[in-house]
Amino acid sequence: MAPLYYLLAVVVLAAGGVPKGYDEGGFSASVTLSAFKADYGLTKSKWHGTAAGLANRTANITSFGVLGAALGAVIAYFLNDRLGRLWSYRLAIVVWASGILMQVFSSGIFSFLLFARVWGGLGAGGLTVISPLFLSEIAPAKSRGMIVSMYMVVLLSFLSLGFFINYGVSKNMPQSRAQWQIVQAIPLIPVGIAFIASFCIPDSPRWLASRGRNEEAQKALAKLRGMAVDDSALVAEYDLIVYEAGVRAEMQNVNMLETAKECFTSPTLRSRYLLLVAMHTVAQWTGGNGITYYISDIFQYAGIVGSQTSLITSGAYGLVKLFVTMIFAWGLIDRLGRRRCFLAGLTLQGATHIYMAIYFGAIGQTNPHASDAAVASVFIYAIGWSIGLCTIPYIYGTEIFPTKTRGFAYSTTMALHWFFQFAVVRVTPVMLVTLHKWGAYMFWAFICATGIVLLGLWAPETKGVPMERMHELFERPWYQCWRSKLVPVGEGEFGMEESYGTESLEGKKGGVSRVERRDSSLTSHESSSR
């Protein structure tokens, strides 16, 4: 069993997913509460004949938090190395919490609310970079994927919880400003507890070692592993951390401009970088997080009657995303592979978008069976999104680049992800109104079809491929990369990096692998240590 001290650190850091998750669930649903609409001029009676104006005002309130998060993610990338993981984590929480307090007490002042959304978003966006990185640095290699995925589990748990909290206050409290204030203040409790508990955990041993604070790093690692400082297993892990810290220190002498130049001038690096850009672009413009932010409204468009019923259904939607993501993260991704997952996900998303376009354009709520099918298709969409591009771009982003360019590539593409999410969240309600709903769904379906073709040709299978061999998958023209598959020669499964070395741990002849081109005329073989 893992040491309690280590489990505490995982829980504290995973709580960094609360702000983003609750914003997509709790805050987005609170915007639909009658009291909130009355306070911020979102009632339809005030916008008679100007539905697009009402949609724009709603979109501003929702999307400004995402805009702040985009900026926060970029700032966190630089603060992480200067302040350390732990103090960056605490600072991000303080910024986010102060934004939430301003938001709660903005009391109907629209401009102040927008400022609070941006300010709080800075902290929430920073935590999306800091928490997963921190978790990855304290986790043992064999369980790193599962530990990092705890961040997403917490995020989706609070996304679902937010809808149910909205339902609870709408059902049991009289309509008043206190309704939405309580809803929006709730996440301060768990994140506040995590902030206090953060003073009981150490900074990342890897960051401490990178700063030359080796003794502190060794003590921190010993506490996290529940081992004595002189334990042989701990010493071996510590020596590796110190070695990695030395490599990282050498890399810090290379400035970002030189790294960017290398990323764009090297053909294989350029192909990998642009693939990741394409993934984030397709992911957000298939509807992505925009649909999640406005899911309560979408369920009502699909035929769910009553705001309370819509909130319950939205909570169920969040639970579906949570359970499917857990199954995906802890089972499917390393069994089925990345390609199968994102292609299946895009296919499900596209099929549901096509049905919704037909429903809104030609059928409508007059047909109860069609309406039930529309509600079901929203849940099927959630499954497709969860097994596909909700998570896959993050996995590719952390594994397809060499160490030297990984930080630059990951940070810049994540910034692009956030700005795209801001744009999608900003335009989604306007698209639904001006394109009469069916037009928006046809647009999203077109992006899904484009993604299936573009990413299907470009993205190779990376399951189990060692990071130092990734370049071999991108040595062909981008539209033929799907044909490349790095496979071992001999026994063993993918995922064991030792099987690719010059000599395996079992003493077998290793390092024998090939880039298998799915057209036999272009098969190449590599061997070593034979």
Side-chain angles (χ1 to χ4, degrees):
M1 181 178 176
L4 291 177
Y5 191 80
Y6 173 68
L7 294 177
L8 172 65
V10 171
V11 171
V12 167
L13 298 176
V18 173
K20 184 177 189 296
Y22 198 82
D23 193 70
E24 293 182 11
F27 177 81
S28 65
S30 72
V31 174
T32 67
L33 294 175
S34 298
F36 186 89
K37 290 181 176 180
D39 267 353
Y40 291 100
L42 301 177
T43 54
K44 291 183 178 179
S45 60
K46 293 184 177 181
W47 298 85
H48 183 68
T50 56
L54 174 58
N56 270 306
R57 190 175 180 87
T58 304
N60 284 334
I61 292 173
T62 305
S63 65
F64 270 45
V66 182
L67 176 61
L71 300 173
V74 175
I75 295 171
Y77 171 70
F78 296 100
L79 290 181
N80 247 338
D81 286 331
R82 292 181 179 274
L83 298 182
R85 312 295 189 244
L86 195 55
W87 277 106
S88 295
Y89 174 83
R90 292 168 183 159
L91 178 61
I93 287 179
V94 169
V95 172
W96 168 78
S98 61
I100 292 296
L101 289 173
M102 287 188 284
Q103 183 177 294
V104 168
F105 295 106
S106 54
S107 304
I109 305 173
F110 184 69
S111 57
F112 188 41
L113 173 65
L114 295 185
F115 172 78
R117 291 285 294 152
V118 174
W119 183 258
L122 290 172
L127 287 169
T128 65
V129 173
I130 297 163
S131 289
L133 178 62
F134 204 157
L135 284 168
S136 71
E137 290 186 344
I138 68 168
K142 63 182 180 181
S143 60
R144 186 170 296 141
M146 183 183 70
I147 295 302
V148 174
S149 69
M150 289 301 298
Y151 168 83
M152 186 61 71
V153 169
V154 171
L155 187 155
L156 292 173
S157 297
F158 275 83
L159 184 152
S160 304
L161 182 64
F163 290 115
F164 291 115
I165 290 174
N166 273 275
Y167 171 76
V169 300
S170 66
K171 185 175 179 63
N172 298 304
M173 289 181 64
Q175 181 177 325
S176 66
R177 180 173 292 170
Q179 272 188 326
W180 63 262
Q181 287 179 324
I182 289 174
V183 169
Q184 295 181 16
I186 285 289
L188 290 170
I189 299 172
V191 179
I193 294 173
F195 176 80
I196 295 171
S198 73
F199 288 91
C200 299
I201 65 174
D203 212 322
S204 163
R206 283 175 168 78
W207 181 80
L208 291 171
S210 72
R211 292 292 167 173
R213 296 158 62 176
N214 293 348
E215 185 177 349
E216 291 179 64
Q218 191 170 21
K219 288 181 179 179
L221 186 64
K223 292 185 74 173
L224 289 169
R225 298 291 178 263
M227 298 178 179
V229 174
D230 58 353
D231 187 283
S232 59
L234 185 89
V235 171
E237 184 177 1
Y238 171 72
D239 288 343
L240 179 60
I241 288 174
V242 172
Y243 171 75
E244 291 175 347
V247 173
R248 185 173 178 180
E250 291 179 8
M251 289 169 50
Q252 289 178 347
N253 295 325
V254 180
N255 62 46
M256 181 175 285
L257 185 60
E258 292 175 347
T259 304
K261 182 179 179 181
E262 181 175 353
C263 211
F264 288 109
T265 55
S266 167
T268 61
L269 284 176
R270 183 170 61 244
S271 179
R272 284 178 267 182
Y273 187 85
L274 294 178
L275 168 63
L276 193 56
V277 168
M279 279 189 167
H280 281 296
T281 304
V282 172
Q284 289 303 314
W285 290 103
T286 57
N289 296 101
I291 289 177
T292 301
Y293 269 97
Y294 303 104
I295 193 64
S296 297
D297 292 331
I298 288 172
F299 273 125
Q300 292 188 56
Y301 295 151
I304 295 294
V305 179
S307 59
Q308 292 185 0
T309 307
S310 177
L311 288 171
I312 286 289
T313 312
S314 300
Y317 170 88
L319 289 175
V320 168
K321 290 182 67 176
L322 170 62
F323 291 137
V324 173
T325 300
M326 290 173 66
I327 295 170
F328 167 83
W330 295 342
L332 292 181
I333 188 61
D334 286 322
R335 292 180 180 272
L336 298 181
R338 283 68 159 143
R339 281 180 56 85
R340 288 180 181 175
C341 287
F342 78 69
L343 289 174
L346 280 171
T347 301
L348 285 177
Q349 286 180 262
T352 58
H353 287 333
I354 290 172
Y355 176 77
M356 292 295 277
I358 296 172
Y359 172 76
F360 287 125
I363 303 174
Q365 296 182 9
T366 55
N367 186 320
H369 296 298
S371 181
D372 290 342
V375 173
S377 74
V378 177
F379 286 99
I380 296 172
Y381 165 83
I383 294 173
W385 172 242
S386 298
I387 67 172
L389 294 181
C390 176
T391 306
I392 292 289
Y394 301 102
I395 296 174
Y396 270 87
T398 57
E399 67 184 6
I400 64 175
F401 295 100
T403 303
K404 185 176 181 180
T405 57
R406 190 176 303 132
F408 168 80
Y410 185 76
S411 63
T412 53
T413 54
M414 272 305 297
L416 184 67
H417 159 89
W418 274 110
F419 282 114
F420 275 147
Q421 183 173 329
F422 163 71
V424 169
V425 173
R426 177 64 183 79
V427 304
T428 292
V430 181
M431 287 176 65
L432 290 170
V433 170
T434 58
L435 299 179
H436 309 290
K437 302 180 187 66
W438 70 268
Y441 276 94
M442 282 304 299
F443 173 79
W444 293 330
F446 172 76
I447 299 298
C448 287
T450 302
I452 290 172
V453 175
L454 180 65
L455 301 182
L457 291 174
W458 200 341
E461 180 54 67
T462 61
K463 180 185 72 171
V465 177
M467 290 182 180
E468 67 270 17
R469 306 295 297 274
M470 285 291 177
H471 67 278
E472 298 177 34
L473 300 178
F474 294 88
E475 291 176 344
R476 309 184 66 168
W478 70 268
Y479 53 85
Q480 293 183 347
C481 286
W482 69 276
R483 296 178 180 273
S484 299
K485 183 180 180 183
L486 194 65
V487 297
V489 174
E491 297 180 358
E493 295 181 350
F494 279 121
M496 294 300 293
E497 197 164 316
E498 297 94 293
S499 65
Y500 293 88
T502 57
E503 184 174 347
S504 69
L505 294 179
E506 293 78 16
K508 297 178 182 179
K509 290 181 179 180
V512 184
S513 61
R514 69 178 183 273
V515 177
E516 179 184 79
R517 314 293 190 186
R518 295 184 187 178
D519 54 328
S520 57
S521 64
L522 291 172
T523 302
S524 65
H525 295 266
E526 293 181 3
S527 63
S528 60
S529 301
R530 299 196 69 175

